[in-house]
Amino acid sequence: MAIAGAIAWGVLALSRGEEINAIWLVVAAIASYAIAYRFYARFIVRKVLKVDDSRATPAERLDNGIDYQPTDRRILVGHHFAAIAGAGPLVGPVLAAQMGYLPGTMWIIFGVIFAGAVQDMVILFFSMRRNGKSLGQMARDEIGTVGGIAALVAVFSIMIILLAVLALVVVNALAKSPWGTFSIAMTIPIALFMGFYLRVLRPGRVIETTALGVGLLLLAIIAGGWVQESGLADTFTLSPEALTICLIIYGFFASVLPVWMLLAPRDYLSTFMKVGVIGLLAVGVLIAAPVLRTEAVTDFAREGNGPVFSGALFPFVFITIACGALSGFHALISSGTTPKMIQKESQVRLVGYGAMLMESFVAVMALIAACILEPGLYYAMNAPAGLLGSTAESASAAVANLGFTISPQDLTAAAAEVEEQTLVARTGGAPTLAVGMSEIFSSVIGGSGLKAFWYHFAIMFEALFILTTVDAGTRVGRFMLQDTLGNIWKPIGRVSWKPGLWATSAVVVGAWGYFLYTGVTNPLGGINQLFPLFGIANQLLAAVALAVATTILVKSGRLKWAWVTGIPLVWDATVTLTASWQKVFSDNPAIGFFAQRDRFADALDRGEVLAPAKSLDDMRAVVTNSTVDGVLAAFFAILVIIVIANAAWVCYKAIRSREPLPTTEAPYEKSKIVAPAGLFPTAAEKRELAAVGAASGSPPEDRP
């Protein structure tokens, strides 16, 4: 594996001015992941965290059948992956392809190994040791009142924005798509069936339940195509407004129902769809062997004047590719639902580190899908409408001015192949990824005749991919709000108290639902004004998580291992605060929020209308949006600086103190659960499971 990885990285690093096959990216990624999981993750688990399987987890000690529930690690890794894998690994790499394939590939792979997966696993472990407390509450407990309050405010407000943006992507993907809407709607009753089957009808039969669930999921996907061609199409053709209401209702129930009933089985089910499609995409790359059409490093990376997004390679490629390498949102899941469900401490390696490696591979495949497209088509889809115009002819001319070539006829033909009216200015990354996936799949199965099928299948897949993050994120938001309000009034902090559970769930879905509905009904306002903050806010959240993790390591007497999270913290803070500074203070209207505001405000005073606005009312909306963007970017950065400064002070006190500083780790209780640490049990674990099974009369390992 090391030799294969070295060869692949050598080809990517040294090849210039020649065609590079996408296979090398796949090999480099898989080899790097395997070595990191085998050695680095195990080192952290054994030496840094010192996991103890004799210690009962909160899922075992506090089992209440609602939020705390010992869950089979195969189900849990599926839930965790489905919850963390949202829009970021799909959309971010597509947009970052503007910089070339090499910077994105390096950040996705090395970033996840040394930062993203480490953050997810370490936060999961520390939350688990503290009865599953949320990230914000851990910050308040471990860093102190000032830094803790700043962290609570930053984490919750950023999370509402992230959830609203993710939900907006789902709405845009499913609006007026009966196939996608039907298929995704069917995952809800299938998940409910799986939950009752596994808990009531056939307890412990994980493999049996999985087979039934996956079979029903495949049937739902196929049936979605039938529905689209039938008289039921109108029933499942929903407007963005209707989809928004449906999402809000679903988010509420996903937050309040017992975790075993809907959330865990649905996320587990979705994982098969996600992993299956990405796996097939990787196989398609190996079979079709597509050539990367993008340069290793483009001129846009050096000059910072790209049409997709403005700004130099540093820091903006690291902000654009968020979830595939490092994501603060993951820390919310790792301190939300997952630590309340994990059976054994040793499973943090599989669930925390392993699931993040899976998401990183999704990002690599998304980057490949974008980079195999002809650059002319890529920029015709991802450059803004203000630059491209609304016709194939104007888009062709604009792309030519960028230094690339695509004829109006080629643009029209590309749209016709996927049965779309136009592909011009289909920004946001999702349509580009769908076109790239259809290129790969159709070259292996069906040829150009099935390209439209694969394109619409990819759109539906993207919506499913993101929706599972919205429902789990809503539940985590409820945990955070309960933890925060519990500091003021104790009863509402109890996760088993139904009135508090319902009230806080309603507040969370109401908050992100409001911004979502505003964005859907006013394309130039609402949540769209917050979308540019998505990457920055997400990475600032990661800085909070890494600061908390580093502080706990130092306070618990593990100063010599603090570099494990400390180095990623320094890198992330440097990159993200640099990006925040530029977005707030840059005098380039294409980069700075306030510079953009001044440009549109001056034009508004003259009575002029600038693209993308089409009226004076639109101009006023852009002015307002840019102002809010700038204020929020500065506000989030200040909060994170306060958190990091307080964390540094606590670490300094811990180092100077002769006695260990107080910690909030829960007291030790002996565990009675026997379960494997990894996906497949070792020989010793099989013997232990067999002994327990013989004593209790329970089924073998596939029925723990």
Side-chain angles (χ1 to χ4, degrees):
M1 192 64 74
I3 292 171
I7 293 173
W9 279 115
V11 170
L12 295 176
L14 301 176
S15 300
R16 292 293 181 273
E18 56 188 278
E19 291 186 342
I20 299 295
N21 199 289
I23 292 176
W24 293 116
L25 269 69
V26 175
V27 174
I30 293 176
S32 301
Y33 298 152
I35 293 171
Y37 185 81
R38 173 66 177 82
F39 295 103
Y40 191 50
R42 188 173 69 163
F43 156 74
I44 295 174
V45 164
R46 292 185 175 183
K47 297 291 186 181
V48 181
L49 302 180
K50 296 181 180 179
V51 301
D52 181 4
D53 274 350
S54 71
R55 187 186 188 107
T57 65
E60 180 180 359
R61 289 185 290 103
L62 305 175
D63 183 4
N64 62 4
I66 299 175
D67 295 316
Y68 292 89
Q69 175 75 43
T71 304
D72 185 280
R73 85 264 179 216
R74 293 164 294 186
I75 300 285
L76 187 57
V77 74
H79 156 74
H80 188 76
F81 171 71
I84 65 173
L90 295 177
V91 175
V94 172
L95 302 180
Q98 170 183 265
M99 301 291 193
Y101 65 79
L102 192 56
T105 299
M106 293 177 65
W107 170 233
I108 290 169
I109 296 175
F110 294 127
V112 73
I113 289 172
F114 296 108
V118 172
Q119 172 208 254
D120 292 13
M121 179 172 66
V122 173
I123 290 295
L124 172 59
F125 177 80
F126 286 141
S127 176
M128 181 180 61
R129 281 284 179 96
R130 287 156 179 78
N131 291 336
K133 284 185 177 179
S134 67
L135 175 63
Q137 188 61 36
M138 283 197 295
R140 187 181 186 280
D141 293 341
E142 302 293 343
I143 294 177
T145 304
V146 176
I149 291 175
L152 285 169
V153 174
V155 169
F156 187 75
S157 57
I158 288 173
M159 185 173 193
I160 294 300
I161 292 172
L162 298 183
L163 287 173
V165 172
L166 293 171
L168 180 62
V169 177
V170 174
V171 170
N172 289 341
L174 292 182
K176 301 179 181 179
S177 173
W179 182 9
T181 302
F182 174 82
S183 298
I184 289 177
M186 287 301 102
T187 63
I188 298 174
I190 293 172
L192 289 170
F193 167 73
M194 290 177 65
F196 280 99
Y197 191 91
L198 190 60
R199 187 176 177 88
V200 179
L201 300 178
R202 302 277 283 176
R205 305 278 182 168
V206 176
I207 296 177
E208 187 177 306
T209 309
T210 300
L212 286 170
V214 173
L216 291 171
L217 174 63
L218 294 175
L219 179 60
I221 295 170
I222 296 171
W226 301 338
V227 167
Q228 184 165 275
E229 304 299 327
S230 73
L232 292 173
D234 291 341
T235 304
F236 290 95
T237 303
L238 303 180
S239 66
E241 293 83 357
L243 282 169
T244 297
I245 300 301
C246 292
L247 275 180
I248 292 172
I249 295 172
Y250 169 73
F252 176 80
F253 282 103
S255 177
V256 301
L257 287 176
V259 70
W260 61 265
M261 186 182 298
L262 177 61
L263 191 67
R266 189 187 182 285
D267 287 352
Y268 177 64
L269 183 65
S270 300
T271 297
F272 283 93
M273 174 73 169
K274 294 180 176 184
V275 175
V277 171
I278 295 301
L280 289 175
L281 195 60
V283 172
V285 169
L286 296 177
I287 295 175
V291 172
L292 301 174
R293 305 294 181 186
T294 305
E295 296 178 85
V297 182
T298 66
D299 291 337
F300 297 131
R302 303 182 186 94
E303 299 168 6
N305 60 348
V308 179
F309 63 91
S310 298
L313 189 152
F314 180 89
F316 288 106
V317 75
F318 306 102
I319 300 302
T320 305
I321 300 178
C323 299
L326 172 64
S327 170
F329 180 81
H330 296 186
L332 303 182
I333 304 299
S334 292
S335 61
T337 55
T338 307
K340 298 176 178 65
M341 301 164 66
I342 196 164
Q343 292 174 315
K344 308 295 289 184
E345 287 194 350
S346 60
Q347 293 174 353
V348 297
R349 182 184 176 206
L350 170 67
V351 177
Y353 202 94
M356 181 54 188
L357 292 182
M358 292 162 59
E359 174 169 327
S360 180
F361 189 63
V362 172
V364 170
M365 299 311 301
L367 184 68
I368 290 174
C371 291
I372 65 171
L373 299 179
E374 288 291 343
L377 177 59
Y378 172 83
Y379 290 107
M381 293 186 67
N382 289 283
L387 174 67
L388 295 172
S390 58
T391 66
E393 289 74 18
S394 62
S396 176
V399 169
N401 290 333
L402 295 173
F404 305 99
T405 303
I406 187 168
S407 68
Q409 293 76 20
D410 289 339
L411 269 175
T412 304
E417 284 183 333
V418 296
E419 296 183 6
E420 289 282 349
Q421 293 183 350
T422 181
L423 292 178
V424 174
R426 295 294 300 275
T427 57
T432 303
L433 176 60
V435 171
M437 291 175 65
S438 69
E439 288 280 349
I440 295 172
F441 283 140
S442 63
S443 64
V444 177
I445 303 174
S448 58
L450 278 183
K451 188 172 289 187
F453 168 83
W454 289 121
Y455 172 84
H456 290 283
F457 173 83
I459 291 291
M460 184 271 296
F461 159 75
E462 291 172 26
L464 175 65
F465 207 101
I466 299 165
L467 183 58
T468 51
T469 307
V470 175
D471 54 22
T474 300
R475 198 179 193 95
V476 172
R478 187 252 292 176
F479 293 150
M480 291 167 52
L481 189 57
Q482 285 186 277
D483 280 348
T484 302
L485 297 179
N487 295 315
I488 303 171
W489 188 41
K490 293 296 182 184
I492 204 167
R494 297 198 304 265
V495 294
S496 299
W497 190 49
K498 294 292 180 63
L501 183 152
W502 295 333
T504 50
S505 295
V507 170
V508 173
V509 297
W512 64 254
Y514 165 77
F515 288 115
L516 171 62
Y517 192 83
T518 304
V520 164
T521 55
N522 180 8
L524 287 177
I527 193 59
N528 281 357
Q529 72 185 20
L530 305 175
F531 192 83
L533 292 172
F534 182 87
I536 291 177
N538 196 32
Q539 301 302 68
L540 286 173
L541 203 54
V544 173
L546 291 168
V548 171
T550 305
T551 302
I552 295 176
L553 285 175
V554 175
K555 287 178 66 176
S556 60
R558 288 173 275 193
L559 176 62
K560 68 176 181 179
W561 302 125
W563 60 267
V564 171
T565 54
I567 292 176
L569 169 60
V570 172
W571 168 258
D572 181 54
T574 301
V575 169
T576 313
L577 292 176
T578 300
S580 299
W581 178 272
Q582 293 187 21
K583 295 300 288 184
V584 173
F585 295 107
S586 174
D587 57 4
N588 182 353
I591 298 176
F593 291 131
F594 290 122
Q596 183 185 61
R597 178 217 178 272
D598 292 341
R599 175 171 177 261
F600 277 81
D602 292 342
L604 187 61
D605 291 339
R606 298 191 300 268
E608 297 180 12
V609 176
L610 304 178
K614 297 179 181 179
S615 66
L616 292 178
D617 286 340
D618 288 349
M619 292 287 291
R620 295 185 187 95
V622 172
V623 170
T624 302
N625 298 345
S626 301
T627 304
V628 172
D629 279 347
V631 170
L632 287 176
F635 176 65
F636 291 153
I638 291 171
L639 288 176
V640 172
I641 290 172
I642 293 173
V643 172
I644 294 175
N646 273 255
W649 174 246
V650 172
C651 289
Y652 174 77
K653 289 197 301 182
I655 294 170
R656 294 294 302 270
S657 176
R658 295 183 179 180
E659 298 293 331
L661 296 184
T663 180
T664 56
E665 187 172 289
Y668 175 93
E669 287 188 29
K670 188 171 180 58
S671 174
K672 298 178 182 179
I673 292 179
V674 176
L679 198 59
F680 302 103
T682 63
E685 289 171 338
K686 286 181 178 178
R687 289 193 295 270
E688 189 176 11
L689 287 163
V692 173
S696 63
S698 63
E701 196 278 322
D702 67 331
R703 311 163 194 172

